[in-house]
Amino acid sequence: MLPPTIRPLLASDHAATAHLLHRSLVEWYQRHLNQGARFGDSPVPFRLFPEVYATLDPGEALAACDPTSGDLLGVCFIHPRPTHIALGIVATAPEAQGRGVARALLAPALDLARRTGRPVRLVSSLLNLDSFSLYSRLGFVPHTLYQDLTLTVPAAGLPGAPPPGADRVRLVTDPAEASRLAAFELAWQGLDRTTDYTFFLRNTVGDWRVWVLENAAGELEGFLVASQHPSCVMLGPGVTRGETAAAALLWRALDAQRGASPVFLVPCTASGLVRQCYAWGARNVELHAAQALGPVAPARGLTFPTFLPESG
Ligand SMILES: CC(C)(COP(=O)(O)OP(=O)(O)OC[C@H]1O[C@@H](n2cnc3c(N)ncnc32)[C@H](O)[C@@H]1OP(=O)(O)O)[C@@H](O)C(=O)NCCC(=O)NCCS
């Protein structure tokens, strides 16, 4: 078996990429967990992934191709940032799994990390042992555990009174705000993702809302991005000083999605926040671990990671 050819993913690959992402997830989750149906019956929503990544990190996504036929065997999305390199979804076509395709796709990102002395970060599903062990064998170490929660926001709004501070949460839309959000994350989490916040605020691909919470002195208490695109209804990324600010931001972002069922990842250690989410009607749907290869920056506060764009 010849090793796959690794090349940049092109715009002309978007349809095949969506098909491959859908096929590999459905097949893997059906075979191992009998849960293939959770990814729906159409590859069309998965087109959002290569489209978002082509704008967010042009030229960084990789394709693994059959060296003879040129067929797409795997894809991997890479997000180099000044403080770290984030890895997005990695997927191998079902018939090509277990032959080193994912390893070959990850090699350039790991090389870049070694050459530039940056850690590599990602979030991986703890229900997917092939993915967890792929990263574990490459040296990644889990550092934070998240529970994936979801709830259908009632048409009349969430039950109970809004949490303290919810009335002070507001939307920001000016791309100039990106540096402020990024500076907050750098101070609290040691990560620089200015690129990501500029992308959300420009809001040209996908459908994003950016919520912020400030204290009486006008300082940020936290922020939370929400994806409202029908292909990815999800809250995050976000960073807050603590659980109180997190509850206010979550409440406001959920309230703005009445009738929808967003997914969001909450750190398992934020037990008060988790109880609050249960009181709003949230249910557990999956578990994710943030894993890093290399040193993990000292972090304070809470984070809400996402899968689009991946933000471990
Ligand atoms: C996860 C996934 C990308 C792996 O792709 P792959 O091309 O089959 O992976 P590779 O063949 O390159 O490597 C897998 C490695 O994990 C190891 N591995 C797999 N299952 C393992 C297990 N249960 N325990 C220990 N090691 C395991 C393999 O031995 C191999 O390591 P090696 O190269 O040292 O032998 C693939 O299963 C997939 O596409 N799954 C569906 C999509 C998905 O879930 N993606 C990840 C979530 S974003």
Side-chain angles (χ1 to χ4, degrees), residues 17-37:
T17 301
H19 193 66
L20 185 144
L21 289 173
H22 180 246
R23 206 158 60 89
S24 80
L25 288 164
V26 168
E27 197 275 346
W28 196 96
Y29 277 82
Q30 184 58 32
R31 181 157 44 98
H32 294 270
L33 302 171
N34 200 26
Q35 289 182 10

Side-chain angles (χ1 to χ4, degrees), residues 24-25 28 89-92 97-103 128 130-131 133-134 137:
S24 80
L25 288 164
W28 196 96
I89 190 166
V90 183
T92 301
Q97 287 177 12
R99 297 191 337 220
V101 170
R103 255 182 186 266
N128 185 335
D130 284 349
S131 147
S133 48
L134 165 72
R137 278 181 188 261

Side-chain angles (χ1 to χ4, degrees), residues 233-255:
V233 182
M234 187 160 190
L235 306 183
V239 183
T240 71
R241 290 177 193 248
E243 294 192 26
T244 307
L249 281 156
L250 268 183
W251 186 91
R252 193 67 194 82
L254 287 167
D255 190 61

Side-chain angles (χ1 to χ4, degrees), residues 288-310:
H288 274 81
Q291 293 184 257
L293 177 65
V296 179
R300 298 174 295 148
L302 295 188
T303 52
F304 296 93
T306 45
F307 313 133
L308 181 69
E310 190 115 10

Side-chain angles (χ1 to χ4, degrees), residues 86-268:
L87 286 183
I89 190 166
V90 183
T92 301
E95 63 280 6
Q97 287 177 12
R99 297 191 337 220
V101 170
R103 255 182 186 266
L105 279 164
L106 293 172
L110 304 191
D111 273 359
L112 175 67
R114 258 189 301 274
R115 278 187 278 112
T116 57
R118 279 177 284 179
V120 188
R121 298 173 64 108
L122 55 85
V123 284
S124 77
S125 166
L126 291 180
L127 299 190
N128 185 335
L129 285 183
D130 284 349
S131 147
F132 179 82
S133 48
L134 165 72
Y135 300 124
S136 183
R137 278 181 188 261
L138 289 167
F140 284 78
V141 177
H143 59 88
T144 310
L145 191 59
Y146 294 93
Q147 38 188 309
D148 303 25
L149 297 170
T150 190
L151 61 88
T152 301
V153 186
L158 294 171
D167 56 325
R168 284 187 286 110
V169 175
R170 66 180 177 94
L171 274 178
V172 289
T173 54
D174 182 353
E177 294 272 358
S179 54
R180 187 170 175 233
L181 306 186
F184 181 80
E185 184 168 37
L186 187 61
W188 283 78
Q189 292 285 318
L191 303 177
D192 182 344
R193 294 195 297 147
T194 312
T195 315
D196 303 69
Y197 301 118
T198 306
F199 170 79
F200 299 133
L201 288 161
R202 283 194 183 137
N203 204 14
T204 53
V205 184
D207 185 4
W208 314 91
R209 277 188 176 173
V210 181
W211 299 97
V212 300
L213 174 61
E214 286 143 339
N215 59 26
E219 298 156 339
L220 270 184
E221 288 288 318
F223 65 86
L224 181 62
V225 179
S227 167
Q228 336 182 90
H229 192 284
S231 300
C232 180
V233 182
M234 187 160 190
L235 306 183
V239 183
T240 71
R241 290 177 193 248
E243 294 192 26
T244 307
L249 281 156
L250 268 183
W251 186 91
R252 193 67 194 82
L254 287 167
D255 190 61
Q257 297 204 357
R258 291 184 186 193
S261 307
V263 174
F264 48 101
L265 273 60
V266 174
C268 291

